[in-house]
């Protein structure tokens, strides 16, 4: 196929490859109904059982990397409101 | 039983309105009773492409609002007595198109016609989703070009989730119509080939409309290309596509411009 493309010298194979990669990504995203929203809701539900915090002082971020993706949860817990750490 | 078709694409300017007019006319020329419905509220053009722009009195929105009865808004084509047009309005208010109103109009049209062909506006907003809402089958118009293919993929996703059929666990039949196809450029690898587009979108092919000056000429004079020049390459491709819609098996003719050694070596056949 690669050799074939060399002879063709057209840009269509590039278009085709770009589309295949992009659409594979977009299709998988389409089938996951707001993963970040669900994670946010469930994580906050668990944490709020143990510590008090203000819901708008929460940041959840997801970074998709090539081999590893990271989920960053940043919750600001005010000392006055926060639960007293046990033991 | 009546068939409701939506002609859709996501991307603008790929040939939805031209294809709606040509397929509607081709079906009517074959004796079918056809109505083409313009859903592009605010930017109607199907009337112009069909040469009926000076005969519009009432429109889809008037029917939905109860200002006019459906038969008052329907325009019968002057050349084809089986072909009717329900024009869109020129009002800018897209909210005038209500879900219930569209459902009622489609139900009434189902009783009068064999084919109801809905010309969708570009985009994925309300007008486009309402145009596909009641479809039994969809014609996805795609140019062999990256942005058009990507948007078609998006539209296919919507057809599988936002239509009445999808919500009832059924499938909207999907047909790919590739328009503005340059056989020689595809053979040289300068343009996505039919195989490429089929592989990426993986829906069945309804037809390949070659790039042709006849298409522009037809819209210039306000006539579907199947009427203005029935023997031209695009007209023949539309006739074939219309026959496939009615269930006929028609061999797929892949347009070719030159059958030189280059083409034989590097040309790829359609699926």
């Amino acid at each position: 196929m690669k050799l074939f493309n060399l002879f063709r010298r057209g840009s269509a194979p590039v278009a085709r490859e770009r589309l295949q990669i992009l659409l594979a990504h977009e299709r998988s995203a389409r089938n996951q109904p707001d993963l970040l929203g669900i994670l946010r809701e469930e994580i906050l539900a668990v944490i709020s059982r143990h510590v008090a915090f203000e819901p708008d002082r929460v940041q959840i971020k997801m970074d998709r990397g090539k081999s590893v993706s990271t989920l960053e949860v940043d919750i600001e817990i005010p000392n006055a409101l926060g639960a007293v750490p046990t033991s | 039983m009546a068939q409701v078709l939506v002609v859709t694409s996501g991307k603008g300017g790929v040939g939805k309105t031209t294809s709606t007019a040509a397929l509607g006319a081709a079906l009517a020329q074959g004796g079918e009773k056809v109505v083409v419905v313009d859903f592009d509220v605010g930017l109607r053009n199907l009337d112009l492409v069909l040469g009926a722009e000076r005969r519009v009195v009432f429109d889809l929105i008037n029917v939905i609002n109860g200002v006019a009865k459906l038969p008052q808004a329907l325009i019968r084509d002057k050349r084809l007595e089986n072909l009717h047009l329900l024009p869109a309005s020129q009002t800018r208010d897209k909210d005038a198109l209500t879900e219930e109103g569209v459902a009622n109009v489609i139900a009434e049209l189902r009783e009068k016609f064999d084919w109801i062909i809905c010309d969708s506006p570009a985009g994925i907003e309300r007008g486009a989703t309402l145009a596909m809402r009641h479809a039994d089958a969809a014609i996805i118009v795609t140019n062999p070009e990256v942005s058009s293919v990507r948007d078609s993929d998006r539209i296919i996703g919507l057809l599988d989730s936002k239509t009445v059929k999808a919500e009832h666990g059924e499938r909207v039949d999907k047909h790919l119509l590739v328009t503005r196809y340059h056989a020689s450029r595809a053979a040289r690898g300068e343009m996505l080939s039919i195989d490429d587009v089929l592989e990426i979108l993986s829906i069945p092919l309804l037809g390949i409309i070659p790039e042709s000056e006849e298409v522009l000429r037809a819209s210039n004079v306000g006539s579907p290309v199947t009427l203005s020049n029935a023997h031209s390459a695009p007209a023949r491709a539309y006739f074939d596509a219309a026959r496939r819609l009615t269930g006929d098996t028609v061999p797929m003719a892949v347009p070719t411009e030159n059958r030189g050694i280059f083409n034989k070596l590097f040309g790829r056949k359609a699926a």
Side-chain angles (χ1 to χ4, degrees):
Chain A
M1 193 61 205
K2 279 270 188 297
L3 191 70
F4 198 62
N5 291 349
L6 272 181
F7 279 112
R8 278 172 130 202
R9 280 213 197 133
S11 51
V14 181
R16 173 197 162 102
E17 209 171 305
R18 287 177 62 218
L19 272 170
Q20 278 170 332
I21 294 167
L22 175 72
L23 293 185
H25 185 78
E26 288 187 347
R27 282 170 192 158
S28 66
R30 202 187 293 155
N31 296 329
Q32 288 172 340
D34 189 20
L35 177 65
L36 212 54
I38 294 166
L39 280 175
R40 181 193 166 92
E41 214 166 279
E42 294 190 7
I43 289 170
L44 293 191
V46 170
I47 294 174
S48 65
R49 254 185 262 152
H50 304 282
V51 282
F53 59 88
E54 285 186 44
D56 37 340
R57 296 277 179 150
V58 176
Q59 281 189 13
I60 297 189
K61 221 167 84 183
M62 188 182 257
D63 267 323
R64 277 184 205 273
K66 254 192 181 155
S67 53
V68 179
S69 297
T70 57
L71 179 68
E72 203 180 300
V73 183
D74 191 339
I75 304 175
E76 208 175 282
I77 303 170
N79 287 335
L81 282 168
V84 183
T86 47
S87 65
Chain B
M1 215 183 75
Q3 274 276 316
V4 180
L5 295 178
V6 60
V7 178
T8 184
S9 69
K11 190 176 184 300
V14 296
K16 283 182 296 298
T17 302
T18 306
S19 297
T20 303
L23 288 172
L27 284 166
Q29 283 165 281
E32 307 274 331
K33 253 193 124 188
V34 182
V35 61
V36 288
V37 186
D38 193 345
F39 270 84
D40 205 345
V41 172
L43 288 171
R44 74 165 175 232
N45 275 319
L46 190 52
D47 54 336
L48 190 57
V49 169
L50 283 171
E53 69 277 13
R54 293 200 294 183
R55 299 172 61 207
V56 176
V57 183
F58 295 112
D59 56 55
L60 176 62
I61 301 295
N62 294 146
V63 177
I64 286 174
N65 291 341
V67 173
K69 297 256 181 249
L70 182 61
Q72 292 177 288
L74 288 172
I75 301 168
R76 180 190 286 248
D77 190 89
K78 283 198 166 154
R79 302 146 297 204
L80 292 168
E81 62 166 17
N82 278 349
L83 180 64
H84 293 72
L85 163 71
L86 181 54
S89 68
Q90 288 281 54
T91 158
R92 268 188 253 159
D93 187 11
K94 290 207 172 174
D95 293 333
L97 218 53
T98 64
E99 165 121 28
E100 196 196 351
V102 170
N104 291 339
V105 170
I106 297 284
E108 208 178 330
L109 290 171
R110 273 185 193 271
E111 289 175 11
K112 294 175 193 280
F113 296 96
D114 302 322
W115 297 88
I116 297 138
I117 310 180
C118 305
D119 183 20
S120 172
I124 51 171
E125 300 302 321
R126 192 184 170 77
T129 50
L130 277 175
M132 68 170 67
R133 184 94 189 116
H134 301 276
D136 300 310
I139 296 170
I140 294 116
V141 182
T142 306
N143 291 166
E145 178 270 327
V146 286
S147 55
S148 174
V149 174
R150 181 200 206 174
D151 291 358
S152 293
D153 193 70
R154 202 61 204 285
I155 282 291
I156 291 168
L158 290 182
L159 286 164
D160 287 333
S161 61
K162 301 269 183 192
T163 52
V164 172
K165 274 206 150 186
E167 285 170 8
H168 286 79
E170 294 170 59
R171 277 169 51 89
V172 172
D173 286 329
K174 291 178 279 287
H175 305 282
L176 179 68
L177 187 69
V178 177
T179 55
R180 312 203 69 162
Y181 188 67
H182 284 268
S184 56
R185 298 185 70 187
R188 287 197 298 271
E190 297 167 6
M191 178 182 258
L192 287 168
S193 70
I194 297 295
D195 273 3
D196 290 337
V197 180
L198 282 175
E199 191 183 325
I200 293 164
L201 293 178
S202 51
I203 57 169
L205 183 61
L206 179 71
I208 307 160
I209 313 300
E211 172 77 50
S212 165
E213 57 196 27
E214 284 302 323
V215 174
L216 180 60
R217 216 183 69 80
S219 74
N220 282 345
V221 300
S223 168
V225 72
T226 54
L227 271 176
S228 68
N229 188 350
H231 298 290
S232 62
R236 280 185 280 124
Y238 277 120
F239 278 123
D240 283 354
R243 284 181 55 200
R244 288 183 195 107
L245 283 174
T246 62
D248 288 0
T249 309
V250 185
M252 188 70 65
V254 183
T256 45
E257 278 165 40
N258 46 352
R259 286 197 162 273
I261 180 93
F262 192 85
N263 232 346
K264 280 185 183 152
L265 277 175
F266 301 114
R268 308 174 73 199
K269 65 170 174 47

